[in-house]
Amino acid sequence: MKFLVRDRLLGIGDDYWIEDEQGRKAYLVDGKAMRLRDTFELKDRQGRVLIDIHKKMLALRDTMVVERDGEPLATIRRKRLSLLRNHYRVALADGTELDVSGKILDREFVVEYDGELLALISRRWLRVRETYGVEVLRDDADPALLIAVAVCVIHLAERESESD
């Protein structure tokens, strides 16, 4: 499954559609303005909230939290003691971890679980400017979660680069 994400996103208060590979609207990212913390909702075509994404307020390092139905699903932060700034860890609520690495700001990175590729995020195979793709490689993977991970990691990397 491939999804196309417009790259003018990630401004708080911005809303944008993520399309499937046939160009149909698949998910709406609803940026919530006027909040104390960075907040996004990932909604389906009917407007139902699938995933809530927000910045953790009291954390030593920038951290994003992903929730489903009010329950924590994942916590995303830059990997501690990583020499590479483009390395993030996703701690899932069930205790497993996903690893995100690559050129985050260039939109060329992967999401892995235990060395196995789950998703590939890339601009390479697209011709549309300011767009990147999220290719979910496993049929049993949760596309909404993997898209939320990509959105969070890019948001964290951009915030970090702005503060440098």
Side-chain angles (χ1 to χ4, degrees):
M1 294 177 279
K2 291 183 183 176
F3 298 93
L4 305 177
V5 183
R6 302 281 178 242
D7 208 12
R8 59 176 173 72
L9 48 88
L10 299 180
I12 304 304
D14 287 350
D15 298 347
Y16 56 92
W17 282 98
I18 295 173
E19 300 172 352
D20 64 16
E21 51 193 320
Q22 285 78 37
R24 297 181 302 232
K25 294 177 179 175
Y27 300 102
L28 174 68
V29 177
D30 185 359
K32 298 296 182 183
M34 308 304 289
R35 302 273 175 102
L36 291 175
R37 59 185 177 188
D38 299 349
T39 303
F40 307 93
E41 290 177 341
L42 187 65
K43 298 178 177 180
D44 65 12
R45 282 178 243 180
Q46 291 74 36
R48 292 182 298 249
V49 177
L50 302 174
I51 291 183
D52 180 54
I53 305 165
H54 60 270
K55 184 176 180 196
K56 193 170 184 176
M57 290 297 287
L58 301 173
L60 295 174
R61 292 178 289 155
D62 276 350
T63 302
M64 300 290 289
V65 177
V66 177
E67 296 178 346
R68 180 175 279 146
D69 299 324
E71 296 294 321
L73 186 60
T75 303
I76 302 162
R77 65 176 55 101
R78 190 167 62 84
K79 192 171 182 178
R80 187 181 307 170
L81 303 175
S82 173
L83 297 176
L84 303 173
R85 297 180 69 188
N86 293 312
H87 204 110
Y88 289 79
R89 174 161 288 138
V90 180
L92 299 175
D94 67 5
T96 59
E97 290 185 348
L98 305 180
D99 191 54
V100 180
S101 61
K103 297 178 181 177
I104 309 295
L105 294 176
D106 291 337
R107 310 309 189 253
E108 298 292 336
F109 59 97
V110 296
V111 180
E112 297 176 304
Y113 169 69
D114 202 23
E116 182 179 350
L117 278 176
L118 295 179
L120 173 65
I121 292 75
S122 180
R123 281 188 170 150
R124 274 185 260 174
W125 40 272
L126 298 172
R127 289 195 162 85
V128 180
R129 272 189 62 194
E130 298 186 9
T131 301
Y132 65 91
V134 176
E135 183 176 7
V136 178
L137 300 171
R138 287 186 44 153
D139 291 335
D140 62 344
D142 182 347
L145 173 61
L146 293 172
I147 289 169
V149 166
V151 168
C152 288
V153 168
I154 291 168
H155 184 71
L156 288 169
E158 285 181 345
R159 298 268 313 216
E160 187 176 317
S161 102
E162 289 171 3
S163 65
D164 288 345

